[in-house]
Amino acid sequence: LASLLLMAAVHCSLTRLFSPVGLSILGALTHQVVQLVLATYLYIGQTALLSFLHLFLIWGLLSGMLIGLLVHWTLEKFRANGWLKMQG
């Protein structure tokens, strides 16, 4: 929910600054950090879990890039076939 809200807010307010890839990376990183923080403080109670933050951020960056690129390519195909109108 946190990543969705952040991506929606950034898309609405900073549309020209973030491509689908950038929004996807932002959402994935937010998701990873929120999950780790919630698991650390609400469920496990061990702050040592935060030592895995760097791994969570790397995987969030990689998955965000992959999903963002897939969305970018899909949008290009939709526009090329006339299924999606150009914005702007």
Side-chain angles (χ1 to χ4, degrees), residues 8-71:
V10 168
H11 179 66
C12 288
S13 60
L14 303 170
T15 303
R16 301 261 183 224
L17 287 176
F18 285 88
S19 68
V21 177
L23 281 174
S24 181
I25 290 171
L26 182 66
L29 292 176
T30 304
H31 175 78
Q32 293 288 4
V33 169
V34 169
Q35 275 196 335
L36 187 61
V37 168
L38 288 176
T40 298
Y41 293 109
L42 292 180
Y43 297 112
I44 298 173
Q46 298 291 324
T47 58
L49 190 59
L50 290 176
S51 64
F52 291 107
L53 181 61
H54 66 286
L55 295 175
F56 276 71
L57 293 178
I58 290 169
W59 283 114
L61 179 64
L62 293 174
S63 65
M65 277 194 298
L66 177 63
I67 292 170
L69 285 171
L70 290 172
V71 167

Side-chain angles (χ1 to χ4, degrees), residues 74-86:
T74 301
L75 289 174
E76 281 184 353
K77 292 290 185 186
F78 280 13
R79 287 184 185 116
N81 289 322
W83 296 337
L84 185 66
K85 303 284 186 216
M86 291 294 292

